[in-house]
Amino acid sequence: MTFAPEPFSQRWMASAALQSLSLRVDGREQVTIGEVLDCLGRTGVGLTIVLLSLITLIPIPGPLGVGLGTCLAFVALQVMAGSRRLWLPEWLRRRHLSPPLLQKMCARATPWLQKAERRMRRRRLKGLTGTLARSLIGLLMVLLGIAIALPLPTGNLLPAISLILLALAMTARDGMAMLAALGVSALALAWTGVLLVAGAQITDRLLTWTGLA
């Protein structure tokens, strides 16, 4: 099944894209990541990052976070390269998602995204979302994607929120929103560092306690 893309007039609005997606998967038994991304049409990589980041917040057991974190890092590399069209490997496009979970995610996320979008202004401090800035933002997104891929408890939340804010600001070309997103991203990376240090210390103590160190 092929989805029709969103109208050009709504191409930067993640909330509109999620509402449309929720309607289009209604009644489906399963949906692939490729079909979901096709629903976004030519909305660009920004909304794709928003969607994939939202999926990482779904509490599904298994290696989904590792796979999606890797995918987000891969998409961020395309942002760094200045790509406006997204490419994903076929094996990832064929991965299935649960339509009910996807609809639940869309319903919960849409009001928050609408609030964020109402506070955004197109082309405000546009130098912070220009071509050079996009490359640097892409590098930051790569680091956040790697943070999501790490098997850390509560490690997905802040990096995923940071990616959503960065992608919304980039797509809206709102430099003021980008400054706020950069602040949250710095906090997310700092928290990831804390979790890594804490995990290393716990592992060291366990090895010492068991006599394996």
Side-chain angles (χ1 to χ4, degrees):
M1 180 177 180
T2 302
F3 292 122
E6 280 298 296
F8 179 82
S9 61
Q10 296 181 339
R11 69 175 187 172
W12 78 275
M13 298 180 66
S15 60
L18 290 187
Q19 287 176 320
S20 177
L21 174 63
S22 181
L23 290 174
R24 296 178 190 191
V25 302
D26 188 39
R28 297 282 301 276
E29 293 184 1
Q30 59 184 15
V31 62
T32 65
I33 290 178
E35 288 174 326
V36 169
L37 297 184
D38 289 342
C39 179
L40 299 179
R42 295 186 176 183
T43 53
V45 295
L47 294 188
T48 300
I49 291 173
V50 170
L51 183 60
L52 292 177
S53 299
L54 286 170
I55 294 173
T56 66
L57 299 177
I58 300 175
I60 300 176
L64 184 64
V66 176
L68 286 174
T70 303
C71 177
L72 281 163
F74 178 74
V75 174
L77 286 173
Q78 297 183 54
V79 174
M80 286 183 62
S83 176
R84 301 286 178 170
R85 300 182 67 87
L86 177 66
W87 179 87
L88 288 181
E90 191 60 31
W91 65 267
L92 186 57
R93 288 181 57 88
R94 291 197 301 265
R95 291 296 298 269
H96 289 97
L97 298 170
S98 166
L101 277 176
L102 198 58
Q103 288 181 304
K104 186 176 181 180
M105 176 203 71
C106 292
R108 289 186 174 183
T110 296
W112 293 97
L113 291 175
Q114 288 173 333
K115 289 180 181 179
E117 289 165 350
R118 282 196 293 267
R119 288 169 171 76
M120 291 187 178
R121 299 292 182 271
R122 295 282 284 174
R123 301 185 182 279
R124 182 169 53 175
L125 299 178
K126 60 182 181 180
L128 293 175
T129 56
T131 302
L132 177 60
R134 283 176 63 94
S135 297
L136 297 176
I137 293 164
L139 175 59
L140 178 57
M141 287 178 166
V142 170
L143 296 177
L144 291 167
I146 293 173
I148 289 175
L150 295 173
L152 298 172
T154 71
N156 283 11
L157 182 60
L158 278 178
I161 292 173
S162 300
L163 280 168
I164 291 168
L165 294 176
L166 286 169
L168 287 175
M170 181 179 67
T171 307
R173 299 182 183 179
D174 186 343
M176 189 67 73
M178 182 60 70
L179 286 176
L182 290 173
V184 177
S185 299
L187 181 61
L189 292 177
W191 177 242
T192 301
V194 169
L195 292 177
L196 285 172
V197 172
Q201 290 178 344
I202 292 172
T203 301
D204 183 63
R205 290 181 181 180
L206 287 174
L207 290 175
T208 301
W209 180 70
T210 57
L212 297 176

